[in-house]
Amino acid sequence: MFASFEPLTLGHLTWLLGKKNLMELFDVTDMLGSLFPRTGDSEKDTISPFHRSIKDWITVKASSCVYFVDEKFGHQI
């Protein structure tokens, strides 16, 4: 999600996480609470971080430690 150039659709995220359907995906996204809101409940709706500070935190190794996401590597793959 952090390496994506645009918000991910729920359908794409379902596939990426190996979920069978949106209900399985919602089990995961509901745990994220309001940090990653969905624009709706269909496969074409999107999910993205609520605020830029979440991305700023997780893409800096010194602040995020084990949760670090290498944005540049994500762009490559």
Side-chain angles (χ1 to χ4, degrees), residues 7-21:
L8 292 177
T9 65
L10 296 178
H12 192 199
L13 188 57
T14 300
W15 176 79
L16 284 171
L17 295 178
K19 302 300 178 187
K20 294 177 187 168
N21 53 49

Side-chain angles (χ1 to χ4, degrees), residues 10-71:
L10 296 178
H12 192 199
L13 188 57
T14 300
W15 176 79
L16 284 171
L17 295 178
K19 302 300 178 187
K20 294 177 187 168
N21 53 49
L22 286 176
M23 290 302 295
E24 284 189 8
L25 177 68
F26 295 159
D27 289 342
V28 174
T29 60
D30 288 349
M31 287 189 287
L32 300 172
S34 61
L35 292 175
F36 297 89
R38 301 186 305 254
T39 59
D41 295 330
S42 77
E43 289 190 358
K44 293 183 180 184
D45 287 313
T46 61
I47 186 168
S48 58
F50 171 75
H51 194 270
R52 173 75 188 190
S53 62
I54 298 169
K55 184 175 182 178
D56 292 345
W57 168 74
I58 207 158
T59 57
V60 175
K61 178 72 172 158
S63 62
S64 60
C65 301
V66 298
Y67 302 106
F68 173 68
V69 172
D70 187 341
E71 189 175 15

